[in-house]
Every structure is written in C-alpha cells, then in structure tokens.
C-alpha cells in the first residue's frame, strides 16, 4: 500500500495518526518508520515532521530505526522477572550475539525488551513478531530461534 | 438433526494458542468426523475459562472432565476412550479444574461455578457467535433498558448496585455516569478502556476474547444512559486476538441491528469502533488515553476538566474499564438488589482476578469480593507450586507488596483501606522465598522508569533516582542513606507527580519497607561512600520537589 492509500483508508485526520503509523510500519519491510516516509506523510497530513516523529517515538511499538526480519520482544516486567526472564535474556543475547536493541549481522533478528505482554500466566514470555511464546527456558528459546533460522 | 450428546469446549485464547490449541481443535473435529460421531459430539471454540498455564485445555461436558496439556496426537486416544467407550483418559486429566457447565443445559446459566457474573459465558459459548450470546440472555438487558427504562432509571439502577470501577481506582460507576449525563453537547462518547498494561493483569483480554458481546452490550447501555452516540474500544496493540474478536463482534451486532441506527426501534443510535494502542502503559490513564485517541503522544491531561465535561474531541466522554462494562448487563437484567447480594457491602458483586506467580494453577478467577489471600492461594490457586508463601503483590506493579501478616485480610476496597492497602487492578502475584524483595523492587522500578511519559519533573527525575537506588540495593552496594532516600523520594513523588503513574511507586516501596525492612537494609554496603556528584544531585532533588 502506498502512503496515500494508507491515509485514505483511515481518513486524513490527525486523530488517525497512530493507526496510519501502524500500517506504515507494517508495510515498511523492516518493522520501522522510514524518515522519508514520515516526511511524505507530513505533507499529506499537513503536520510537521517533528510532530509525527515526536508522536511515533513516544510509543514502544514504533521504531525509528530499521529492525531485523523478526523482532523479538522479551517481557521483563515483575511477573516474568520472578520466573526467570533475566536468564532468558542472557540466553537470547548469547544465542544471537547481540545485546538489547541490537540486530544480528544477517539482519534476521532484533532483540528488544518490553513491558508486560498480558500473557503472564505463562511467564516468562516473549513475542516474536505477532506470535507469543511462553514458559520459556534456555532450551526452548534456542529451539525457537533455530526454527526461525531454518525457515529463513 | 439430533441434538449433540456431548460438548467439547476448546478455549482458544492467547495462552492456549501458544500451546497449539487450534491444531488440537482441528484434530478433534477430524477424528470425530472420521468415527461418524459428528451428530453426537460437538466441538465448540470458546474463550478461556480460567487456567492459563495448562497448555491446550479441553472440557468435555456433561461429564465434567477437563483435559490439559494436550497435543494433537492425544486426540485419537481421547476420542476412542472417552467419546466412544465412555472412559475418561486419565493420563491427561487436569486435577482440580471445575469445567464450565454445558452450553445448552437449562440451569447452566445461573448455577455457574463460583457464581460468575462477568465470566459466566467465558469458556462456555463461542465468542464469535452472536446467536449463542443472545441464547444466553445476551442483549436482553439492552432491550430492557431501551424499552422499559429511562436513561435516568438506568443510572439509578447502576448507582443502587454499588458497582465500582474495575480499572484500578474503584470509582462508583453510577456516579460517574451521572456526571456525564446532564452535560449538553453536540456529541458524547463512551470509551471502553482496554489498554490493560498493568503487569500481571490480563483479565480484560480474556473477557474480550471469551465474551466480547458482553462488553459491547455494557457500552450500549452506558451510551443510552448518558446520551452518547459513539463508542470506542481502545485496545492495546499487542492484543491481536482481542482486536479480531471484538471487531467480529461489532460487525455481527451491527448486522443484527443491535448497533447502528434506531436500535430496538426506539430511536437510539449508537455505534462502536476500535482504536489500537501502540505500546505505552501511561495510555491506560484515561486522559492520556484520550490524547492517544486523538493521535498524539499519550501525555495525561490536567484535571479538571474531567472527561465527563471535556474529553475526547473536547466533548463529554465517559471512560470505563472492560470489566466494569461487562458487569452492567447483568445488573440491568437481574437488578441492583441481586448484585448487592454478592460480595461485601463496600464492594458489591464479584471481582475478577488474575492469579499468578509460584502457585499451581495460575489463571483467571472470578470470586465474591472479600475472599482472603489465603483462600485465593489454597482454593483457587491450587496451593503453592514450590516453597512457602513469602510475599504477594496486589494490583499489579503499581500495587502494594504484602507480607505473611496479610494472608487473612478480606480483599475488598474498604477492608484493605483500613489496613493501609488497596486492591488495585486485580492482579495477584504470589511469590515464594526464591524472590528477594530487593531484586523485585528493582524490577518494579525499571518498569516505572521505562513507562514514565516524561511530562513532569518529579516523575521524570525521581524515577531515575529510584531505579538507581533499587539497583544498588539489589547488588548489595547501596549507600547507607539509600533506604531513607528511597522512601523520601517515593513519598515526594506521591505528593507531587502529575499523574498516578509517578505517584504509585510509593505503593510497592513503602509497603515493602513495612514488611521487609531487614531484607532491604541487607542491601546496604557500609563501606560504600556516595560520590560527590550524587550528593549534590540529592540537594538538587530536594530543592526541585
Ligand atoms: C498509569 C495508569 C494506567 C492505567 N491503566 C489502566 C488500564 O490499563 N485499564 C483501565 O481500565 N484503567 C486503567 N487506569 C485507570 C483509568 O485511568 C481509569 O480510572 C479507568 O479506566 C476508569 O474506569 P473504571 O471507572 O471503570 O475503573 C490506569 C490509570 C493510570 C494512572
Ligand atoms: S507522573 Fe510520570 S507519567 Fe504521570 S505525567 Fe508525570 S511524567 Fe508523565
Ligand atoms: S509480566 Fe510478562 S507477560 Fe505479563
């Protein structure tokens, strides 16, 4: 979808900016909001670029930097913490060779931490793209990553 | 066609989908078809009825058997043993789970386990079927309100029921509606707050995934009562299944004329749209939520004016939590007196909790307000998973930390207030001795630090200081005056932060100090000396706040 089409779909109104940014990011190919896209958007919506960037940067689901093909978001809120999310983070960092915020050299994974994902019943939990994984152990995490690498 | 003899209820929600519930459900349909049982056994997709950590769950009714941790390959055995030969397959039975009653039995509705009000349909009906909702008294209350009650009578009934907001603050719902109702405006709005960012809380998600029409019906009744014509459900962006189910429910209700124009032929117009959040805890605060709905950064607004006067688009707006709204249809249908007969005087009705941590059966429960922590752990949580009870946090990360002394205090707004605590949003996190209170506090403060919106100085700076102090305590490297400074800053935030996000870290900090003073002090390193810089920072801070 082009930027104009996305704006058209939601309606050219400030109110719809978040919904527009969601779609824009989904269409970006690298899970991020590109600067030139936001410049274009600012013209279409008659908003300043600073306003759009400022709004986008407030929300943790939007990224202004390109991210890998898969975005890993590990929950580090207290209910996951007491079930060992710290060790899971170490396991992920070890397996991927990047620290939080980093993207692997092959561009396959970006590692992020997040606040509660609302699946604390199966803590510790993480989301990779749209899929939630729970009851994580180091072994399980490695298996999940292996699976995604193989599928790539 | 003959009436099915057996029902297999398969909860499809975020927890079970992770474990492969869709595959198991499909396999059941396949195996049942293969054996020619299709007329006798019916597979029904439902929302969760409680267990959150039991893998794929299936309840077989009317036998009252609940299976858990199922894989597709278990299915042929269960079909063969249980459905054909009538012998439950014991290896996969989940001990201690009470299944929801079968969907079409006469007395199913009101003999619910634990007398459920909000969750009475969850795990029992197909959330994607408006017909099933209607068959279970769905939209009856809306019809009743529109045809037999004035808006003022609806508000009176809700007021009389004593229903209090379930979003955390416990504000009386009827009273809130009565603020919005008399305000004259071109347009008014009802917003359902489904942002649910409080760590440990996922009740609203399971309500939306298990019984979305109940939330819509509650919104429509509210709209009629206050004179609103448009409604919005603000759902956090991560809740993909909730967003899908709610959207399908809205479409179905519209198709049946239960949303849209001239509902029940009474000239009442009301429609609902979904707005997707983008990941910010503070957007659960009602005025920040409204800012976010207007496409801006989610910064809380100054109150007054309250949303009832000037909210979304500057118009009168009523914001309620998902669970609050889901209570409304039953109150209208069965009356305020019935509702008051449940729970305690200060907190009528039931309360939905998510219970989690080191217990055997984490998940969603709905209990009369006023049960104790001990009952929750023993009766609903299946006891401690390992070790013994050490502490609990009530109401999510913004809630109080309780020690063993509080195991027998009834959980209702007033009884807790008497002992200096509050109920919060409905999350109950149970911890054994493996959790050190210092580590835990640091995890809490990291959360607040990350989620501060940065609008006001006390929170923006104070949380930074608190995060660092708790970090030092965690590492056993705290300065001698850190514990004192921690409380000082927490209390300064409580009295000066702009919104409750900045005010609330005082809750876990001060309550932890109350019960675990020695543990906290053990994080102090008596040899550590505070660097000069930090000392002046402290002076700056006290000057600033
Ligand atoms: C930081 C913060 C986060 C909040 N998050 C939520 C939330 O996720 N869901 C919710 O219903 N209320 C939340 N609230 C409470 C809302 O501001 C508001 O009181 C509530 O939606 C009112 O609904 P009720 O009267 O039905 O409880 C939050 C408040 C604060 C200060
Ligand atoms: S207290 Fe924190 S979250 Fe609330 S307005 Fe101030 S900076 Fe923002
Ligand atoms: S705390 Fe991790 S999912 Fe809720």
């Amino acid at each position: 979808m082009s930027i104009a089409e996305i704006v058209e779909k939601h309606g050219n109104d400030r109110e719809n900016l978040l919904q527009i940014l969601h779609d824009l990011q989904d269409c970006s190919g690298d899970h991020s909001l590109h600067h030139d896209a936001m410049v274009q958007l600012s013209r279409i919506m008659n908003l300043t670029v600073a306003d759009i960037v400022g709004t986008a940067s407030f929300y943790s689901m939007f990224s202004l930097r390109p991210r890998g093909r898969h975005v890993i978001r590990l929950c580090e809120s207290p209910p996951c913490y007491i079930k060992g999310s710290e060790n899971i983070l170490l396991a992920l960092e070890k397996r991927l060779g990047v620290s939080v915020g980093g993207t692997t050299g092959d561009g396959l994974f970006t590692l992020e931490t997040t606040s509660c994902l609302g699946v604390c019943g199966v803590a510790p939990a993480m989301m990779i793209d749209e899929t939630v994984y729970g009851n994580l152990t180091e072994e399980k995490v490695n298996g999940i990553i292996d699976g995604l690498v193989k599928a790539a | 066609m003959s009436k099915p003899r057996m029902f297999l209820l398969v909860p499809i929600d975020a927890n079970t989908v992770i474990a492969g519930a869709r595959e198991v459900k499909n396999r059941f349909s396949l195996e049942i078809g293969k054996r020619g049982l299709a007329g006798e056994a019916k597979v029904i997709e439902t929302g969760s009825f409680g267990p959150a950590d039991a893998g794929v769950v299936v309840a077989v009714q009317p036998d009252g058997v609940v299976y858990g941790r199922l894989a597709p390959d278990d299915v042929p055995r269960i079909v063969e043993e249980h459905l054909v030969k009538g012998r439950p397959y014991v290896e996969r039975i989940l001990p201690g789970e009470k299944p929801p009653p079968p969907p079409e039995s006469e007395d199913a509705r009101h003999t619910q386990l634990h007398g459920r009000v909000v969750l009475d349909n969850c795990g029992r009906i197909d959330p994607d079927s408006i017909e099933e909702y209607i068959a279970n008294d769905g939209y009856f209350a809306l019809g009743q309100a529109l045809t037999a009650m004035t808006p003022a009578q609806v508000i009176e009934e809700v007021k009389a029921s004593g229903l209090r907001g379930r979003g955390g603050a416990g504000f009386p719902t009827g009273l809130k509606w009565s603020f919005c109702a008399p305000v004259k405006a071109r347009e008014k709005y009802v917003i359902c707050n489904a942002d649910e960012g409080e760590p440990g809380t996922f009740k609203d998600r399971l309500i939306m995934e298990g019984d979305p029409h109940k939330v819509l019906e509650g919104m429509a009744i509210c709209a009629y009562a206050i004179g609103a014509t448009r409604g919005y459900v603000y759902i956090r962006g991560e809740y993909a299944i909730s967003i899908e189910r709610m959207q399908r429910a809205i479409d179905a209700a519209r198709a049946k004329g239960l949303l849209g124009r001239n509902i029940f032929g009474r000239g009442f117009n009301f429609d609902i749209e979904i707005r997707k959040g983008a990941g910010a805890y503070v957007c659960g605060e009602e005025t920040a939520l409204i800012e976010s709905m207007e496409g801006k950064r989610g910064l809380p607004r100054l109150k007054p004016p309250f949303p009832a006067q000037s909210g979304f688009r500057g118009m009168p707006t009523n914001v309620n939590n998902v669970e609050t709204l889901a209570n409304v249809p039953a109150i209208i249908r069965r009356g305020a007196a019935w509702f008051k007969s449940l729970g305690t005087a200060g907190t009528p009705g039931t309360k939905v909790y998510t219970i989690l941590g080191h217990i055997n059966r984490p998940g969603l429960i709905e209990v009369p307000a006023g049960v104790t922590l001990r009952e929750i752990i023993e009766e609903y949580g299946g006891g401690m998973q390992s070790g013994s009870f050490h502490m609990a946090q009530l109401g999510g990360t913004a809630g109080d930390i309780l020690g063993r002394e509080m195991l027998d205090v009834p959980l209702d707004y007033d009884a807790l207030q008497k002992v200096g605590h509050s109920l919060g949003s409905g999350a109950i996190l149970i911890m054994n001795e493996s959790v050190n209170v210092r580590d835990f506090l640091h995890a809490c403060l990291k959360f607040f630090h990350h989620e501060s919106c940065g609008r006001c100085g006390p929170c923006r700076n104070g949380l930074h200081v608190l995060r660092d102090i708790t970090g030092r305590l965690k590492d056993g490297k705290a300065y001698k005056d850190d514990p004192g400074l921690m409380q000082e800053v927490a209390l300064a935030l409580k009295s000066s932060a702009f919104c409750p996000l900045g005010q609330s870290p005082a809750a876990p900090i001060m309550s932890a100090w109350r019960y675990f003073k020695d543990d906290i002090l053990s994080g102090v390193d008596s040899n550590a000396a505070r660097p000069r810089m930090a000392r002046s920072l402290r002076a700056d801070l006290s000057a600033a706040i």
Side-chain angles (χ1 to χ4, degrees):
Chain A
M1 254 198 288
S2 75
I3 299 178
E5 281 164 356
I6 292 174
V7 174
E8 178 84 4
K9 171 179 152 198
H10 293 283
N12 190 346
D13 189 331
R14 170 62 191 253
E15 233 170 56
N16 303 321
L17 184 58
L18 294 193
Q19 319 301 318
I20 290 168
L21 291 175
H22 268 302
D23 278 2
L24 203 56
Q25 175 161 292
D26 290 346
C27 294
S28 68
D30 57 12
H31 302 286
S32 76
L33 294 167
H34 301 160
H35 191 76
D36 48 351
M38 288 189 284
V39 172
Q40 251 178 291
L41 188 62
S42 76
R43 292 204 193 103
I44 298 175
M45 296 189 72
N46 202 15
L47 298 167
T48 65
V49 180
D51 192 356
I52 295 179
V53 173
T55 305
S57 66
F58 184 83
Y59 295 96
S60 68
M61 287 178 83
F62 299 132
S63 173
L64 301 178
R65 283 191 302 165
R67 293 187 279 188
R69 169 130 40 116
H70 301 294
V71 179
I72 304 174
R73 304 171 75 205
L74 176 73
C75 170
E76 55 169 3
S77 287
C80 280
Y81 173 80
I82 67 158
K83 292 278 187 145
S85 61
E86 246 181 356
N87 294 331
I88 304 299
L89 182 60
L90 292 177
L92 279 167
E93 288 181 334
K94 191 169 93 190
R95 173 68 176 76
L96 299 172
V98 296
S99 49
V100 175
T103 300
T104 53
D106 56 7
L108 211 46
F109 299 100
T110 297
L111 178 60
E112 295 180 356
T113 54
T114 171
S115 296
C116 178
L117 296 166
V119 289
C120 338
V122 291
M126 67 178 177
M127 245 175 131
I128 301 186
D129 308 328
E130 300 278 288
T131 312
V132 184
Y133 299 88
N135 287 324
L136 298 176
T137 57
E138 174 161 6
E139 206 186 354
K140 208 161 160 184
V141 165
N142 285 328
I144 294 165
I145 301 290
D146 287 342
L148 289 172
V149 169
K150 242 184 244 137
Chain B
M1 213 179 91
S2 67
K3 245 187 142 167
R5 175 174 64 82
M6 286 182 136
F7 299 94
L8 285 87
L9 310 175
V10 191
I12 303 280
D13 60 73
N15 293 323
T16 59
V17 167
I18 297 173
R22 291 216 166 93
E23 293 73 29
V24 170
K25 183 195 149 210
N26 293 341
R27 189 67 182 268
F28 264 114
S29 303
L30 187 80
E31 293 291 328
I32 287 171
K34 258 202 237 163
R35 287 164 178 276
L37 295 172
E40 279 182 66
K42 186 171 169 204
V43 182
I44 301 173
E45 184 173 321
T46 69
S48 171
F49 57 84
D53 189 16
V56 180
V57 178
V58 174
V60 182
Q61 287 289 22
D63 300 3
V65 175
V66 180
Y67 293 107
R69 297 180 222 295
L70 293 183
D73 289 344
D74 294 323
V75 171
R77 279 296 289 277
I78 292 176
V79 172
E80 170 73 28
E81 293 291 315
H82 192 153
L83 303 193
V84 177
K85 298 186 185 148
R87 293 189 301 236
Y89 177 51
V90 283
E91 276 99 303
R92 286 283 181 274
I93 289 183
L94 264 192
E97 277 309 334
K98 293 183 209 136
E104 288 160 27
S105 74
E106 277 304 311
D107 59 349
R109 276 187 300 245
H110 304 313
T111 56
Q112 277 297 312
L113 67 160
H114 322 317
R116 288 178 164 190
V117 177
V118 174
L119 303 177
D120 62 347
N121 287 331
C122 286
R124 209 162 62 77
I125 67 168
D126 176 354
D128 283 335
S129 161
I130 190 170
E131 286 80 12
E132 281 189 35
Y133 181 67
I134 292 172
N136 285 280
D137 291 344
Y139 291 107
F140 183 83
L142 178 62
Q144 204 175 340
L146 288 181
T147 53
M149 295 166 89
T150 63
Q153 282 171 330
V154 173
I155 293 181
E156 276 319 306
E157 196 68 23
V158 175
K159 258 193 193 164
S161 76
L163 174 66
R164 298 171 75 155
R166 304 294 202 234
F171 193 82
T173 305
L175 192 60
K176 189 185 257 188
W177 292 10
S178 72
F179 295 150
C180 203
V183 185
K184 297 253 175 305
R186 185 166 44 78
E187 199 162 43
K188 296 189 200 177
Y189 304 103
V190 174
I191 296 178
C192 171
N193 186 346
D195 194 46
E196 195 163 67
E198 189 67 53
T201 312
F202 48 92
K203 62 183 180 73
D204 297 343
R205 172 166 67 76
L206 294 183
I207 295 169
M208 290 187 287
E209 290 174 11
D211 201 6
H213 285 286
K214 195 172 255 120
V215 182
L216 302 183
E217 186 177 4
M219 288 177 74
I221 293 170
C222 172
Y224 173 69
I226 66 168
T229 47
R230 295 183 75 164
Y232 294 89
V233 191
Y234 184 94
I235 310 183
R236 60 181 295 193
E238 287 92 347
Y239 279 9
I241 297 180
S242 305
I243 293 173
E244 267 170 42
R245 288 241 164 99
M246 289 294 280
Q247 187 59 54
R248 278 200 294 267
I250 291 171
D251 295 341
R254 230 180 249 150
K256 283 236 181 307
L258 295 163
L259 288 177
R261 302 195 67 77
N262 196 16
I263 300 170
F264 280 96
R266 307 295 291 188
F268 169 61
N269 305 329
F270 181 65
D271 211 337
I272 299 178
E273 281 176 49
I274 291 176
R275 286 286 179 272
K276 192 168 145 186
Y281 167 66
V282 73
C283 288
E285 197 282 330
E286 55 189 14
T287 59
L289 183 148
I290 289 170
E291 286 284 301
S292 179
M293 279 191 36
E294 293 179 353
K296 302 184 221 151
R297 294 167 75 93
L299 306 183
R301 290 180 182 172
L302 187 66
K303 292 193 263 194
F306 289 92
Q309 301 287 330
S310 168
F312 185 49
R313 299 174 181 156
M315 296 289 165
T317 304
N318 182 80
V319 184
N320 273 127
N321 171 259
V322 172
E323 184 192 341
T324 313
L325 290 164
N327 269 296
V328 169
I331 291 174
I332 297 300
R333 199 174 68 238
R334 308 183 64 185
W338 162 80
F339 192 75
K340 273 196 106 103
S341 72
L342 308 169
T344 61
T347 311
T350 59
K351 180 75 196 86
V352 176
Y353 295 104
T354 44
I355 50 173
L356 50 142
H358 299 123
I359 47 171
N360 281 317
R361 294 205 306 266
L364 188 69
I365 58 170
E366 177 173 356
V367 298
V371 300
T372 66
L373 207 49
R374 190 187 302 278
E375 286 167 337
I376 287 194
I377 298 171
E378 296 304 329
E379 285 172 33
Y380 300 94
M384 296 296 292
Q385 193 178 40
S386 58
S388 61
F389 177 83
H390 182 51
M391 58 182 177
Q393 193 179 28
L394 213 57
T397 302
D400 291 339
I401 293 171
L402 308 187
R404 208 165 275 147
E405 296 90 318
M406 290 289 133
L407 276 170
D408 293 309
V409 176
L411 302 180
D412 79 37
Y413 291 100
D414 297 332
L416 278 167
Q417 203 163 18
K418 269 196 209 114
V419 292
H421 293 302
S422 69
L423 189 53
S425 64
I428 301 182
L429 181 61
I430 307 289
M431 291 169 268
N432 64 19
E433 308 86 346
S434 72
V435 186
N436 182 315
V437 72
R438 291 179 281 125
D439 298 358
F440 186 72
L441 272 184
H442 184 53
C444 293
L445 266 300
K446 265 175 43 183
F447 168 77
F448 288 119
H449 180 263
H450 181 258
E451 298 296 342
S452 168
C453 82
R455 172 176 177 152
C456 67
C459 174
R460 195 171 57 224
N461 301 318
L463 287 179
H464 209 75
V465 173
L466 288 175
R467 186 197 57 170
D468 290 351
I469 293 178
T470 52
R472 285 196 293 272
L473 282 168
K474 173 182 178 183
D475 296 338
K477 293 188 178 136
Y479 310 125
K480 215 161 72 232
D481 56 353
D482 268 345
L485 184 61
M486 172 175 83
Q487 295 171 63
E488 208 179 300
V489 176
L491 291 176
L493 280 183
K494 190 175 175 187
S495 57
S496 64
F498 185 81
C499 87
L501 190 150
Q503 295 156 12
S504 53
I509 288 178
M510 298 313 291
S511 54
W513 181 252
R514 176 167 162 190
Y515 299 104
F516 300 101
K517 191 170 162 183
D518 294 341
D519 285 354
I520 293 175
L521 288 174
S522 71
V524 173
D525 174 359
S526 50
N527 296 320
R530 184 182 294 280
R532 288 193 83 83
M533 272 292 288
R535 217 177 277 145
S536 72
L537 172 68
R538 184 187 171 181
D540 284 355
L541 247 170
S542 357
I545 49 188

